[in-house]
Amino acid sequence: MAGYGGRAGVLQAGGGGRGRVLLSRVLTGVIPFIVVYIGYVSARDIALRLHGAAAFIPTASIDAERRLFGETLAAFFAAHRSLALDVAANLVYALHPLYFLVFSFYMLFRRPRLFRGLLLSFLAASSVATLVFALYPTAPPWVALPGVNRPPNSLLKLQEAILGMGTPVDPNPFAAMPSMHVCVATLFAYYLWRLTGRRLPGAAWVLVMALATFYTANHYLLDAVAGILLGLASGHLGWLLQADRHAEGAPG
């Protein structure tokens, strides 16, 4: 009995140690990530206040799409909407940044060094994007293009109802360039590749997210391209800066 009691005490101590390790990871990983994201959202709001409701009309983006496709992507999708596509596009768009947060939590507990790289990447991308938002606030298609509106979004209305009557979910609608929806999807794709060695699933998600931003009239093609480039650059930067990356056994 004494031996059993001693072993039980060791198991309890081990369980308590794992609990402390878990709590430590949450405090040192999750909280900084949330702080960075809240800082990014707050900075977008500050950028909006610097300019009020004024925003630049991105004539270069609009002209480029008209030269390539004959009309803007937002106008094309506005003319080919359906209830099923409305629901699908709004759902994909609304998943930002929930899937990224879940993926980050997974990385935190399974690949902590890769998580630190991911956090650095998100911080770098957010800083660059916020600076652009402050210096060059860009009107999205639903603001800049006559006759183009966002499709009905019951999810957005539900979010606003939960947060409070009249409270907008998006703190800055004039933050089209670059697309952080596409940038974050690219960061996810980059680190998924580093984690698993697989490129196709992440690339497919980037494409789906980009199409959702076009369909919902929130972004132009050049916004998405800028988001991809920013995501790749910041992703690689975070990967280079995180310590002992090869110890994680990730490809590359």
Side-chain angles (χ1 to χ4, degrees):
M1 292 295 291
Y4 175 80
R7 184 171 60 183
V10 171
L11 289 174
Q12 290 176 358
R18 285 193 294 272
R20 286 191 293 272
V21 170
L22 179 63
L23 179 61
S24 175
R25 284 192 177 182
V26 170
L27 293 177
T28 60
V30 176
I31 291 179
F33 184 90
I34 293 176
V35 168
V36 169
Y37 185 77
I38 291 176
Y40 158 68
V41 173
S42 300
R44 291 181 67 197
D45 183 55
I46 293 171
L48 175 62
R49 294 177 185 276
L50 289 176
H51 295 274
F56 295 102
I57 302 299
T59 54
S61 296
I62 295 172
D63 291 343
E65 290 187 12
R66 286 173 174 164
R67 284 195 299 269
L68 287 172
F69 310 112
E71 61 181 332
T72 62
L73 291 173
F76 170 80
F77 284 120
H80 296 83
R81 284 179 182 161
S82 68
L83 179 59
L85 289 176
D86 287 355
V87 172
N90 283 322
L91 179 60
V92 170
Y93 195 78
L95 284 175
H96 170 83
L98 297 179
Y99 74 92
F100 188 66
L101 187 61
V102 171
F103 179 67
S104 300
F105 284 175
Y106 174 82
M107 296 275 280
L108 172 64
F109 296 111
R110 298 301 297 269
R111 294 290 189 270
R113 291 188 179 88
L114 282 181
F115 169 80
R116 287 193 288 272
L118 182 64
L119 181 61
L120 289 171
S121 296
F122 182 66
L123 177 60
S126 299
S127 299
V128 172
T130 300
L131 181 62
V132 176
F133 297 157
L135 297 178
Y136 189 72
T138 305
W142 66 271
V143 174
L145 300 177
V148 173
N149 298 307
R150 290 183 289 187
N153 190 340
S154 56
L155 290 173
L156 183 63
K157 292 179 180 178
L158 177 62
Q159 285 178 284
E160 293 180 351
I162 293 174
L163 291 175
M165 187 66 68
T167 301
V169 172
D170 189 348
N172 187 354
F174 307 123
M177 169 64 77
S179 169
M180 280 301 287
H181 278 71
V182 175
C183 177
V184 167
T186 303
L187 286 178
F188 164 75
Y190 182 88
Y191 278 90
L192 183 65
W193 165 56
R194 288 297 188 183
L195 184 66
T196 67
R198 301 174 65 189
R199 292 183 174 88
L200 185 58
W205 178 247
V206 173
L207 176 61
V208 168
M209 182 60 75
L211 289 174
T213 68
F214 304 149
Y215 185 91
T216 57
N218 282 294
H219 288 289
Y220 308 92
L221 178 62
L222 288 182
D223 300 343
V225 171
I228 291 172
L229 294 177
L230 179 60
L232 290 174
S234 57
H236 191 59
L237 176 64
W239 168 253
L240 292 176
L241 291 178
Q242 58 94 15
D244 298 328
R245 55 189 180 276
H246 297 297
E248 292 295 327

